[in-house]
Amino acid sequence: MRNLLLIASILISFSAVMAQPPFTLSANTTQGLIFGTFFQGKIGGSVIINPDGTRSVTGDLVQSTMGVPFSPAIFEVTAKKGSIITILNGPTIKLYGNNGGTATLKIGASSPVSPFIITAKNNQVTIIRIGGTLTVSGPLTAPSGSYSGNFYITFIQQ
């Protein structure tokens, strides 16, 4: 019988870094990257949040909802129509749990896929969704709890 542990809601807070192009670009965070809840076995695995909002797991992790949502990070980007926007993901980061544990986060793909062209009229919002992969090892290094950290992305306007 597998030993299952519950990893509580894992919220990732983050910051956006913006390049200073000749035309103003603004990026506002409207939703953090949320991995939700899942059960952990003895070996661990990964929780993957896709930009379309779907979630999958690998290893001996088991998905659970328990009333806790999961979601890609969502940004509202405003830039000049016709601008080419490239998203640069920051490095893989270590997350720290409220229980002394650690996990890692790798920023994933975006929707729309980077690079993309702004088609909204000037000063209108374009919604950007960014997924990620959370990797946890066994319960000794990543015990049940709430994990958080910051990640950085850069929006480059051309």
Side-chain angles (χ1 to χ4, degrees):
M1 184 168 156
R2 291 193 323 184
N3 178 21
L4 296 179
L5 296 175
L6 171 66
I7 298 276
S9 174
I10 298 176
L11 293 173
I12 308 304
S13 61
F14 51 89
S15 299
V17 178
M18 297 175 288
Q20 295 300 319
F23 302 103
T24 303
L25 176 143
S26 69
N28 295 308
T29 305
T30 60
Q31 174 66 60
L33 180 56
I34 304 171
F35 289 91
T37 57
F38 53 90
F39 293 98
Q40 177 185 25
K42 292 181 180 182
I43 63 170
S46 295
V47 180
I48 300 136
I49 301 293
N50 296 303
D52 66 3
T54 59
R55 177 175 73 163
S56 60
V57 295
T58 66
D60 66 352
L61 303 182
V62 177
Q63 296 187 54
S64 173
T65 57
M66 298 183 67
V68 177
F70 52 89
S71 172
I74 301 174
F75 297 90
E76 292 181 344
V77 173
T78 304
K80 183 177 179 182
K81 183 177 180 175
S83 296
I84 299 171
I85 305 296
T86 302
I87 300 171
L88 295 178
N89 293 343
T92 298
I93 61 161
K94 187 179 281 190
L95 306 177
Y96 297 94
N98 62 351
N99 50 18
T102 60
T104 59
L105 169 67
K106 179 175 169 62
I107 304 304
S110 67
S111 176
V113 175
S114 177
F116 59 92
I117 297 173
I118 295 290
T119 58
K121 293 180 182 178
N122 293 345
N123 298 320
Q124 289 189 344
V125 169
T126 298
I127 301 296
I128 311 298
R129 292 175 173 81
I130 299 177
T133 301
L134 175 73
T135 302
V136 296
S137 54
L140 294 178
T141 55
S144 298
S146 179
Y147 290 72
S148 63
N150 295 310
F151 70 80
Y152 298 92
I153 59 172
T154 303
F155 293 96
I156 300 172
Q157 179 180 356
Q158 301 174 11

